Each structure stands twice: as C-alpha cells, then as structure tokens.
Amino acid sequence: MSAAESLTPTSYITHHLSFLQQPVAQGDFWTLNVDTITVSVLLGVIAFGFLWWVVRGATSGVPGRRQAFVELAVEFVDDQVKGIFHGDRHAFVAPAALTVFVWVLLMNAMDFLPVDWMAGLYAMLGLHKFRSVPTADINTTFALALAVWFLMLFYSVKVKGLGGWLHEMFCSPFGSHPLLWPANFLLNVIEYVSKPLSHSLRLFGNMYAGEIIFLLLGMWAATGLAGTVFGAILGAGWAIFHILIVVLQAFIFMMLTVVYLSMAHESH
Amino acid sequence: MNINLTLISQAVAFAIFIWFTVKFVWPPLRTAIDNRQKTIAEGLAAAERGKTDLELAARRSADVLRETKEKSTDILAQAERRAQQIIEDAKAAARVEADKVVVSAKAEIAQEVERAKQGLRERVAELAMTGAEKILRREVNATAHADMLAALKQEL
C-alpha cells in the first residue's frame, strides 16, 4: 500500500489480508499465493529437516534432550493413533499423523508473530503484500483435507476392494435391502462431501478469525496512546488464548485425519 | 480467498512431507525406541532374576549356617562324651593299676613277714640252741639232742 493513500480501517485490514500473488497463466485459477507456499514449505523443510537430523543420530541408549523432545512428540502422536487405528499404524497412518500435526502446528504458530511488525519486516524486504499464516489461506487447509480425502478413498478401495467399497456405499448404514440403496448412497455421498469441508473449514475458520481479531485489536492503536495500551493488553490476552487455539486446532486436524483414515480401513 | 493453483502446490508439498516422514523420520526413531524398550525390559527381567537369585542364595546360606551350627553342636557333644569316656577309662585303669600295686605290695609284705618269721625262727632256734647249749654244756651232748631240737625248730 502506498503512503499516499489514507489509512482507513478497511484499507488496514485489506492490506493485511492480501496475498502475494503470482499469476502463472490466464484465468483466475492459475495463480499462486507465493506467501502461503513460501512460508509453509519453509516451515515444513525446517521442521522435517530438524526431525530427520535428530532421528539420524537417534540412539537406543539414553536419549539426549533433542532426541527426548522429538520422541515425546512422536510418542504423543503414536499414542493417539494407537487408540483409534487398529492395524499396522507404523506403515503409514502414524507417520502421516505426525506430519499433519507438526506441519499444521507450525503453520498455525505463525499467527503468534505480531502482524504489524511482520508487515514492516516484509515491507523492508520489498514485499508489500505478504501473509504469514499459511493455514489462514483456504487453499492450504483444502489441500490438506483433500489429500486426506483421497487417501481415505484410496485406503477404502485398497482394504475392502472395489466391490466391497461399492457394497458399503449402497448397503450401509441402513441395510442391504434394494429399496434402501438410494438412501444409503445419498447418505454416504453427503458424508464424503462433508468430511473434507468440515475438516478444512474448521481449521481455516479458526485461524482466519484469529488473524482478523488481531487486526481489529491492532486498530485500537489508531485512537491514541490510551487506545494503544488498551489494544496491547487485549492483544496479549488474545495471543495467550490463541496459544490454546493453535495447538488445539493442529491436534483436531491430526485426530480427524487419523479418524478418517482408520474409518477407511474398517468395514461397517 | 479464492481457490487457485496454490491448492495443488500445497497438496504436493503435503504429499512430499508425508512421504519424507514415512520414509526417513518414522522408521529410525521407531527402531531406536523399540530397541530401548527391549533393553529396558531385559534389564528389568535381569533385575528380577537377580532378586530371586539373591533370595535363593540368602535362603541357602541360612540353611548352610543352620546345618553348620547343628553339626558343631553335635561335634561338641561328641567331644564331651569322648572326654568323659577317656576320663572314665583313665579312672578305671588307675583303679586297676592301684589294685595291682596294692596286691603286689601286700604280697611283698607277706613275703617280708615270712622272711622275717623265718629269720626269727632261725634266730630263736639258735638262741634256744645257744641257751640249751649253755645249759647242757655240762650235761648233754649237742649232737645227741639234735633231732629233738630240729623238731622244736619246726614247731616254732
């Protein structure tokens, strides 16, 4: 945003909620949100690079502090998966859950960075539009939810066979009587549609709302010194509350991933 | 807030991260944790075994101690008995020896008495002879009365 424009609440919020976009072809769809991709990939590379670095030197003996920390996270995820998924969880489901949890947690945690400081920092780097929180971009949450959805379909068909899956689509949950087939099928389709929607929108809504509330609280600063102090106090309160939301949403996202994948492995 | 190509690129990134975790992060850590669990389980089992062994050893040592005590008591009793017996034996032997000494002393005393009697007898006979000689010097021949004297001597 240029200095010549007047600073109104609308322009302030719009400025903070604009993506750094790069069109790659004609059409609205063929655009990349460079900020989302950069931050999320950077976080992923750092997180999983760190995990890989620790795990490569993992010892069966007394673990060091770094290894103990990683093991704590892994055991936490593994315990959750153990309670839900009955099968060989080490082959795929548990590591996938770890990936989801760590990555989403870090992407959510970007919300802790003070919005205006980050905007200033990005402006110094010549980026006037840049959003720090990848999970406040619906593309990210939809991408994750859809990936889980496709995995769900894949495992449904793989475990039960195509016939078994189709049988389940038409014969559960009400029964296998032909008259009940349409009802069964309709319900299953609704379920398949609603799963990725609720999965992705829950995370997106929480993170987007969190970001907007930070921006609204930031606007207190426009009312003078008292407003700045007041806004800072409220902002601190919201940030503390947000710690809970960030971790909880990452946890819920992981749990739903595990639940969906384990439902795909079990026949009704 | 529109859906765009970011969706696909994020999905690809997600897939790559999952693949990376499944392939490189999870297995080594699982192995390390499993191995450690095994080591700890073995250690606990060994400790349990050690405890049992210790208990067994304690019981055995108590047994051995008790046995030894019993044996030593036996030995003491035996030794006492043996000493008693030796004393008894010695007493009996001493008594026999003493009896023997007494008997031989008595015999010797009897012999001595006999010998003294013999000497006295001879001496009395001599004295009688001498007296008789002195009396009879004048009236009787010694040789003529020798038979009578000998009979006299025998009577003494």
Side-chain angles (χ1 to χ4, degrees):
Chain A
M1 166 173 130
S2 66
E5 286 176 45
S6 62
L7 191 62
T8 66
T10 315
S11 71
Y12 172 75
I13 288 183
T14 316
H15 169 233
H16 276 294
L17 292 182
S18 303
F19 290 109
L20 176 64
Q21 290 185 320
Q22 178 66 50
V24 290
Q26 283 296 316
D28 272 351
F29 180 77
W30 298 103
T31 311
L32 282 175
N33 293 350
V34 179
D35 41 8
T36 301
I37 294 169
T38 311
V39 174
S40 61
V41 170
L42 204 65
L43 286 175
V45 168
I46 291 171
F48 299 109
F50 171 75
L51 288 181
W52 183 62
W53 173 58
V54 172
V55 156
R56 237 175 16 142
T59 165
S60 304
V62 179
R65 251 175 239 176
R66 260 198 319 269
Q67 194 189 334
F69 171 71
V70 170
E71 278 181 18
L72 211 66
V74 167
E75 288 287 306
F76 168 71
V77 172
D78 195 34
D79 274 352
Q80 304 300 329
V81 177
K82 202 191 296 172
I84 299 170
F85 181 74
H86 311 290
D88 182 17
R89 63 181 186 281
H90 299 310
F92 183 81
V93 177
L98 179 71
T99 315
V100 170
F101 182 61
V102 170
W103 201 30
V104 172
L105 181 67
L106 284 177
M107 289 194 290
N108 288 355
M110 292 305 284
D111 223 356
F112 294 138
L113 301 175
V115 278
D116 286 310
W117 285 23
M118 292 315 288
L121 182 71
Y122 296 138
M124 271 196 279
L125 296 171
L127 305 164
H128 292 287
K129 291 173 173 180
F130 200 94
R131 288 182 59 181
S132 309
V133 190
T135 39
D137 180 353
I138 198 154
N139 285 300
T140 305
T141 61
F142 254 129
L144 266 61
L146 280 179
V148 171
W149 191 74
F150 277 114
L151 282 171
M152 194 167 76
L153 281 184
F154 171 73
Y155 278 112
S156 278
V157 174
K158 190 188 167 201
V159 172
K160 298 158 196 161
L162 190 61
W165 179 66
L166 285 175
H167 177 265
E168 200 176 278
M169 286 296 282
F170 284 97
C171 297
S172 84
F174 298 125
S176 54
H177 193 280
L179 281 177
L180 295 170
W181 284 5
N184 286 330
F185 184 69
L186 190 69
L187 199 82
N188 279 314
V189 167
I190 291 172
E191 205 181 313
Y192 269 105
V193 171
S194 66
K195 268 176 185 170
L197 279 176
S198 71
H199 199 188
S200 61
L201 288 177
R202 178 182 294 108
L203 179 61
F204 166 73
N206 272 284
M207 299 326 292
Y208 190 72
E211 223 182 356
I212 284 183
I213 287 176
F214 274 124
L215 292 175
L216 291 175
L217 292 173
M219 286 197 304
W220 276 96
T223 62
L225 184 62
T228 308
V229 172
F230 188 58
I233 292 169
L234 284 181
W238 178 243
I240 290 166
F241 184 61
H242 212 59
I243 294 173
L244 178 70
I245 294 176
V246 159
V247 180
L248 193 67
Q249 287 306 319
F251 178 71
I252 289 173
F253 202 88
M254 176 200 80
M255 288 305 272
L256 283 175
T257 303
V258 175
V259 167
Y260 291 164
L261 288 182
S262 67
M263 275 167 82
H265 280 77
E266 282 159 15
S267 42
H268 294 270
Chain B
M1 164 142 15
N2 297 325
I3 298 287
N4 57 28
L5 192 59
T6 315
L7 175 78
I8 291 166
S9 75
Q10 289 290 78
V12 170
F14 184 45
I16 291 172
F17 287 138
I18 287 184
W19 170 79
F20 184 80
T21 311
V22 169
K23 195 92 181 161
F24 298 110
V25 174
W26 197 266
L29 199 64
R30 254 351 281 180
T31 317
I33 291 175
D34 284 350
N35 283 343
R36 180 170 333 123
Q37 265 175 351
K38 216 186 313 161
T39 313
I40 291 173
E42 277 165 9
L44 285 178
E48 198 57 38
R49 221 165 29 239
K51 219 159 80 179
T52 327
D53 282 358
L54 183 67
E55 236 165 67
L56 236 77
R59 212 173 305 149
R60 204 162 42 223
S61 79
D63 278 0
V64 168
L65 208 66
R66 187 150 33 76
E67 243 168 63
T68 316
K69 240 181 231 166
E70 272 169 21
K71 214 181 272 177
S72 71
T73 319
D74 273 6
I75 289 171
L76 267 178
Q78 234 169 19
E80 225 159 88
R81 255 201 320 275
R82 183 96 187 87
Q84 210 63 39
Q85 205 181 348
I86 287 170
I87 289 169
E88 288 303 317
D89 285 358
K91 270 186 188 165
R95 212 170 288 131
V96 169
E97 198 62 25
D99 284 355
K100 247 191 251 168
V101 170
V102 167
V103 166
S104 75
K106 269 183 186 164
E108 218 166 294
I109 289 166
Q111 248 175 4
E112 251 349 271
V113 167
E114 198 56 34
R115 207 175 299 138
K117 269 183 186 169
Q118 195 70 27
L120 277 176
R121 223 179 269 145
E122 270 167 23
R123 196 89 182 95
V124 167
E126 254 169 56
L127 274 175
M129 276 296 287
T130 321
E133 241 178 38
K134 271 182 185 163
I135 298 163
L136 292 174
R137 178 122 319 162
R138 288 168 267 182
E139 42 186 282
V140 196
N141 187 353
T143 47
H145 297 92
D147 287 345
M148 199 182 59
L149 284 171
L152 199 73
K153 207 194 294 180
Q154 211 60 44
E155 269 168 48
L156 281 168

